[in-house]
Amino acid sequence: MSLDSEKEQFLKEFGDDYGYPNAPKNIDQIRATEFKRLNDLVYLDHGGATLYSESQLEAVLKDLNCTVYGNPHSQSHCSFNTSDRVGEARRQVLNFFNASLREYACIFTSGATAALKLIGETFPWSSGSSFMYTMENHNSVLGIREYALDKGAAALAVDIEEAAEHEKSRSPKSAIRISLRDEQRRSEGLMKEEPGDVYNLFAFPSECNFSGLRFNLELVKLMKKDSDRVLEGSTRARGRWMVLIDAAKGCATGPLDLSKYKADFVVISFYKLFGYPTGLGALIVRNDAAKLLKKTYFSGGTVAASIADIDFVKRREGVEDYFEDGTISYLSIASIYHGFKILNTLTMSSISRHTASLATYVRKALLAMRHENGSRVCTIYGANSSEALIDVMGPTVSFNLLRPDGSWFGYREVEKLASLSGIQLRTGCFCNPGACAKYLGLSHSDLLSNIEAGHVCWDDRDVLHGKPTGAIRASFGYMSNFEDARKLVNFIRASFVSLPSLSSNLHALRSTVFPASEGFRRANARYFLKSISIYPIKSCMGFSLNCWPLTSTGLLHDREWLLRGTGGEILTQKKVPDMCYITTFIDLDLGILFVESPRCKEKLQIQLTSDFLLARKGEMDIHAQRYEVLGYQNEVDAWFSNAVGRPCTLLRSSGQQDYACSKPGMCRDIDRKLNFVNEAQFLLISEESVSDLNQRLRANMQKGLHGQPIQISPLRFRPNLVVSGGKAYAEDHWKSLRIGDKHFTSLGGCNRCQMINLTPEAGKVKRSSEPLSTLAGYRRVKVFNCRQPWLASLIDRLLHDFNRVIISFGVSGEDNFWHIAEV
């Protein structure tokens, strides 16, 4: 189908909702004039942050250049300008939610998270209180649980369920059931009876930021007026229930009507609405609810009077004045006027329909995709939930991708390849652990096992124990267009759908690796170990040689040092590309690590032994492991800070504690110790695999897919071992190795990494899409899911020097094994 006919078909289905035909500018004009910076970029993370328009920033700049805004706590004319603009901004926010000025107040905060924190720390908790929240909630909402539990209150997560069919016709509320999970309480013993009223808090998002599910707002009325029936006689039903709605995600395309659904608290962040300003949010609070909040701290602007040397303070009575500590961000508040002006021009109803049409198109396209064997390509989360529980789906598509054999593509792999294609997605759990576990089917045991295996937020461990640990999310904003959605669909189809031609090619490849006619006879493949490489400092350049000592941590001194930034982050080439210019070499006879950098005049020499006497000791966590580390004198840190162009410190591993195996079932009972490597002690690649990749790169260049010739060296992949002598990618199938009388076990392929796309040229580091894009085009099935094809784990506690070796293949019973003999 041609591009024009594809869009024509889309417009036939969604033309009434797409594109703002009644606005001053349609979507094509908006993109051409307001978002020219998106010409080569498909931005699909509006759930994380939407984008500001050019005219919006121009209006903000003009406003700030033409008006003098003073501190609103003063009485000058300039201060009155600020107070007037802040008051106007409060009215805009309340109007956006159709909230009466007599009934609601707008408290400005530094964001939705700060608003949630304010609720948690001021809510009138008691031992009789309950904090109840839906499983689908952001971590910032879950954090309120800490305040509740510390005050002796109970906390419990709930699932929103659909009632029986015959009850649906009675009312929207009768179609909803709340299913309680186990109660959480820190205080031991029974709930204490306390004098006075008991207040409870129920929290839910207007739209789940994981799946895009929009919750039925009848939940507000249900909890405030009919909690006894909903909670079915539970002790949690006693007291007064108040309702909190996290609208940070949902209100960008579907604002609440607080005249109809009178929630007590609503939190928002303005960058989710119109991109700018960041660092500004609001708590919309009912005035009668605000009176119940118990605030301890006072500051400038929140008190009418105070006396320094006696316990006396008189607080201001206005809701906003009472809660807004210090000087508010008044210039940012003045800027939101111009953001609301854009939304009001387009109208929120049109924005909602426009973004929904794009998300619906993508959902349908993904669900229709099939591999050549007929198996589905995509699992979408939230799309098939009960209509009784949601008004509509928001403009978010959360999904994972499957291989033809039913195994999962890692979401980080998808994200990296999408980025190479100019498509910006979000992956992981999106700070929503409840929804993540619920939709991915992860039990408490699964979650704890993943954590013990080292999985944390934002890492590359996207599939553990055969299950994804997160998902892929594409979310649309008011400026998204059909071309964005189509590019996403075409990218997934081209990169992850198995077609018949690809399947036959893979069959041919496998037949060369496992020839059927061979039976149990020994194959003739002979493999040679061509080079050994050691990388003393993580992410800096290493050195190669013919032999090197092996220890219980792998190659002696390999990844034994790293650079840490002032914020505690580990520096790598992905963050600091210039690290590729730092060269290293170790002279074992002299006992010295030599380090050079073009930015430093002097070559640095670090003693391998005596410098320990001057080192600073400490501990650090990396990849969920605890390491004992040693630091160096200021002169060493100053040298590296100059070399990388930012403050940093050099740390050396002096021991690893409590290592948790990341591949259960494959490395069980292996006493494996690691330095600062990501997954295993060795990384192996074959020259034939790299040669095949280079042939494909040249073919792509001839087809016009590359502008300049590309020749990849095996060292681009930073391997420890380079072998040669067999078929390309034969190492994919190796299960174990033997060097002399020492044994090694394969841990499989490692994750794709964009670091292999960094190329130093003429003193600058060039970023490109290759070779990762080409690798992704044909290395799709499970055995190909790696950047470097093979990782080896040392089993023996200590190995000695080894020389060039040859590898021969044989079969014993049903288990493949590899012999490596010294030459």
Side-chain angles (χ1 to χ4, degrees):
M1 182 183 296
S2 69
L3 298 182
D4 289 340
S5 61
E6 190 175 352
K7 186 169 185 179
E8 183 179 348
Q9 183 175 335
F10 169 82
L11 293 175
K12 283 183 179 179
E13 184 174 0
F14 300 105
D16 292 340
D17 298 325
Y18 173 80
Y20 314 112
N22 298 320
K25 293 181 180 180
N26 62 32
I27 185 60
D28 293 332
Q29 294 168 327
I30 291 172
R31 286 294 290 263
T33 60
E34 301 286 356
F35 296 93
K36 293 189 287 289
R37 63 190 186 277
L38 291 180
N39 283 346
D40 299 321
L41 186 70
V42 177
Y43 183 83
L44 297 177
D45 188 24
H46 296 274
T50 199
L51 304 175
Y52 53 80
S53 70
E54 292 182 19
S55 63
Q56 178 187 349
L57 288 195
E58 289 171 358
V60 170
L61 182 60
K62 181 179 180 180
D63 185 359
L64 298 182
N65 280 336
C66 295
T67 309
V68 178
Y69 292 109
N71 190 311
H73 293 166
S74 300
Q75 299 297 310
S76 67
H77 176 73
C78 295
S79 298
F80 289 149
N81 285 340
T82 303
S83 297
D84 290 343
R85 178 52 69 90
V86 169
E88 182 180 359
R90 296 191 203 277
R91 289 189 291 273
Q92 278 188 300
V93 173
L94 294 179
N95 288 337
F96 186 73
F97 290 97
N98 199 18
S100 167
L101 286 166
R102 295 186 299 274
E103 194 170 7
Y104 283 91
C106 171
I107 301 168
F108 286 114
T109 64
S110 63
T113 296
L116 292 165
K117 182 174 182 287
L118 178 61
I119 296 169
E121 65 189 5
T122 61
F123 194 82
W125 305 109
S126 69
S127 61
S129 299
S130 296
F131 174 48
M132 191 168 72
Y133 50 90
T134 58
M135 282 291 290
E136 298 92 337
N137 259 305
H138 195 278
N139 268 326
S140 296
V141 175
L142 299 188
I144 294 176
R145 182 176 63 191
E146 296 299 299
Y147 292 106
L149 293 176
D150 278 350
K151 294 293 186 179
L156 60 160
V158 299
D159 293 297
I160 308 300
E161 300 175 339
E162 182 179 0
E165 285 289 331
H166 68 276
E167 296 187 40
K168 289 183 180 179
S169 59
R170 297 180 184 177
S171 72
K173 289 188 294 183
S174 67
I176 300 173
R177 284 284 183 268
I178 297 180
S179 176
L180 279 65
R181 299 202 174 202
D182 292 340
E183 180 180 297
Q184 308 160 59
R185 189 183 287 275
R186 286 188 181 151
S187 300
E188 298 293 333
L190 299 176
M191 181 180 65
K192 298 179 182 178
E193 291 291 339
E194 293 187 3
D197 296 329
V198 172
Y199 296 97
N200 308 298
L201 182 63
F202 173 60
F204 71 97
S206 61
E207 180 183 315
C208 174
N209 75 309
F210 184 96
S211 66
L213 222 71
R214 283 182 176 165
F215 281 83
N216 191 333
L217 296 179
E218 291 291 336
L219 281 166
V220 177
K221 299 177 181 178
L222 191 66
M223 286 305 302
K224 293 178 72 68
K225 298 180 180 180
D226 204 9
S227 59
D228 287 338
R229 182 186 66 80
V230 172
L231 300 177
E232 297 178 347
S234 167
T235 57
R236 305 271 64 85
R238 64 187 296 266
R240 175 181 171 184
W241 278 93
M242 308 180 79
V243 177
L244 158 65
I245 299 179
D246 176 8
K249 169 64 177 70
C251 69
T253 54
L256 312 174
D257 185 348
L258 292 180
S259 69
K260 184 177 181 181
Y261 303 104
K262 298 183 182 297
D264 297 284
F265 311 101
V266 176
V267 300
I268 61 171
S269 286
F270 292 103
Y271 72 94
K272 302 272 190 179
L273 283 168
F274 31 71
Y276 179 87
T278 58
L280 182 68
L283 167 62
I284 297 96
V285 57
R286 281 173 60 100
N287 292 325
D288 60 347
K291 296 176 182 178
L292 300 174
L293 302 182
K294 304 179 183 300
K295 186 169 178 285
T296 301
Y297 178 76
F298 70 87
S299 66
T302 63
V303 293
S306 65
I307 299 178
D309 56 348
I310 64 172
D311 183 10
F312 176 85
V313 59
K314 182 179 180 181
R315 299 176 185 265
R316 293 186 179 272
E317 296 182 357
V319 173
E320 299 91 346
D321 293 334
Y322 182 79
F323 286 102
E324 290 174 347
D325 289 314
T327 300
I328 56 179
S329 183
Y330 55 88
L331 294 182
S332 294
I333 293 172
S335 299
I336 69 175
Y337 168 84
H338 307 287
F340 276 120
K341 184 177 180 180
I342 291 174
L343 299 186
N344 293 334
T345 299
L346 295 175
T347 74
M348 290 308 299
S349 59
S350 295
I351 290 174
S352 182
R353 294 194 303 272
H354 170 79
T355 54
S357 70
L358 297 173
T360 302
Y361 162 76
V362 170
R363 287 192 196 100
K364 289 183 176 181
L366 295 183
L367 289 174
M369 287 183 186
R370 292 291 185 273
H371 290 296
E372 53 89 17
N373 64 359
S375 63
R376 59 191 172 92
V377 175
C378 184
T379 291
I380 295 181
Y381 304 112
N384 299 320
S385 298
S386 168
E387 294 180 359
L389 307 182
I390 56 173
D391 295 326
V392 291
M393 289 295 297
T396 295
V397 185
S398 180
F399 60 97
N400 270 312
L401 300 176
L402 293 145
R403 297 186 178 88
D405 64 359
S407 62
W408 299 96
F409 284 103
Y411 58 79
R412 286 287 288 131
E413 176 184 352
V414 178
E415 181 182 24
K416 292 170 185 175
L417 297 180
S419 181
L420 294 176
S421 298
I423 301 172
Q424 307 301 305
L425 301 168
R426 178 83 175 270
T427 64
C429 280
F430 325 124
C431 298
N432 195 326
C436 190
K438 180 176 180 177
Y439 288 114
L440 300 180
L442 299 175
S443 65
H444 289 163
S445 176
D446 292 330
L447 296 173
L448 293 173
S449 178
N450 290 346
I451 294 171
E452 290 173 359
H455 173 55
V456 294
C457 295
W458 306 337
D459 68 9
D460 283 343
R461 302 186 184 205
D462 45 20
V463 179
L464 287 173
H465 316 306
K467 294 182 179 180
T469 59
I472 306 149
R473 187 183 74 183
S475 50
F476 297 91
Y478 78 80
M479 73 296 296
S480 300
N481 61 12
F482 170 74
E483 286 69 26
D484 292 336
R486 179 170 58 192
K487 287 178 182 177
L488 172 64
V489 171
N490 289 343
F491 158 73
I492 294 173
R493 183 181 292 117
S495 302
F496 299 100
V497 179
S498 175
L499 302 176
S501 58
L502 176 62
S503 177
S504 60
N505 289 338
L506 291 176
H507 177 74
L509 175 62
R510 287 170 179 155
S511 67
T512 62
V513 177
F514 300 103
S517 61
E518 285 288 327
F520 291 102
R521 290 185 288 119
R522 183 181 301 274
N524 294 322
R526 293 169 60 84
Y527 293 87
F528 294 85
L529 180 62
K530 299 299 292 289
S531 67
I532 305 167
S533 296
I534 294 90
Y535 307 88
I537 303 176
K538 185 178 180 69
S539 221
C540 294
M541 298 302 292
F543 60 96
S544 300
L545 28 66
N546 292 326
C547 63
W548 192 257
L550 285 156
T551 73
S552 60
T553 60
L555 290 165
L556 180 64
H557 301 311
D558 187 49
R559 275 92 167 186
E560 194 168 312
W561 289 263
L562 59 73
L563 296 177
R564 183 171 67 180
T566 54
E569 72 281 8
I570 306 304
L571 301 188
T572 67
Q573 284 189 35
K574 287 182 285 187
K575 300 175 182 177
V576 188
D578 285 351
M579 290 179 69
C580 71
Y581 293 115
I582 299 177
T583 61
T584 60
F585 179 76
I586 292 177
D587 189 318
L588 292 178
D589 294 331
L590 296 177
I592 296 176
L593 166 63
F594 295 95
V595 191
E596 292 185 83
S597 167
R599 291 185 174 181
C600 302
K601 295 181 180 180
E602 301 294 331
K603 179 188 295 187
L604 183 65
Q605 299 184 24
I606 298 176
Q607 298 289 333
L608 299 181
T609 55
S610 61
D611 281 354
F612 272 107
L613 301 175
L614 303 174
R616 304 186 304 272
K617 294 183 179 181
E619 291 187 348
M620 68 176 297
D621 292 322
I622 179 172
H623 301 303
Q625 311 305 328
R626 172 72 63 173
Y627 289 86
E628 293 179 353
V629 296
L630 299 171
Y632 287 87
Q633 293 179 313
N634 293 336
E635 292 80 0
V636 173
D637 292 340
W639 190 95
F640 279 102
S641 297
N642 185 29
V644 299
R646 65 174 66 186
C648 65
T649 57
L650 179 70
L651 298 177
R652 183 178 185 180
S653 172
S654 64
Q656 178 200 10
Q657 304 172 344
D658 301 326
Y659 178 76
C661 178
S662 63
K663 301 276 186 178
M666 298 188 67
C667 51
R668 188 181 298 124
D669 300 327
I670 296 176
D671 183 15
R672 184 160 62 101
K673 298 180 180 179
L674 301 178
N675 281 329
F676 296 128
V677 296
N678 289 352
E679 296 181 67
Q681 294 166 325
F682 299 98
L683 189 63
L684 181 148
I685 194 170
S686 75
E687 287 185 335
E688 286 72 23
S689 300
V690 178
S691 177
D692 178 80
L693 170 61
N694 280 319
Q695 290 178 13
R696 295 173 186 269
L697 288 168
R698 287 192 292 272
N700 287 344
M701 184 194 69
Q702 294 171 0
K703 295 175 184 178
L705 300 180
H706 297 316
Q708 298 293 330
I710 298 175
Q711 182 71 20
I712 301 297
S713 163
L715 295 182
R716 174 75 74 92
F717 298 91
R718 298 176 64 83
N720 294 113
L721 308 174
V722 178
V723 299
S724 178
K727 298 288 186 180
Y729 313 113
E731 63 270 27
D732 284 335
H733 307 280
W734 296 354
K735 302 299 182 184
S736 62
L737 293 171
R738 192 172 75 193
I739 302 178
D741 61 348
K742 307 303 180 182
H743 294 268
F744 300 78
T745 297
S746 169
L747 295 184
C750 69
N751 289 307
R752 296 187 189 273
C753 178
Q754 291 181 340
M755 188 168 159
I756 64 174
N757 290 342
L758 301 177
T759 308
E761 290 185 2
K764 293 184 179 181
V765 179
K766 178 182 177 182
R767 294 180 183 269
S768 69
S769 62
E770 295 294 352
L772 198 51
S773 288
T774 294
L775 281 169
Y778 69 101
R779 303 274 287 168
R780 296 178 183 172
V781 297
K782 191 172 184 179
V783 295
F784 292 161
N785 184 23
C786 56
R787 177 188 72 181
Q788 296 93 341
W790 198 80
L791 284 168
S793 170
L794 180 65
I795 296 179
D796 294 87
R797 295 181 59 252
L798 186 64
L799 296 179
H800 301 290
D801 293 7
F802 63 97
N803 300 311
R804 173 178 287 188
V805 299
I806 60 173
I807 305 173
S808 60
F809 174 70
V811 177
S812 175
E814 297 181 354
D815 297 324
N816 296 336
F817 65 94
W818 291 85
H819 298 287
I820 304 182
E822 295 183 359
V823 177

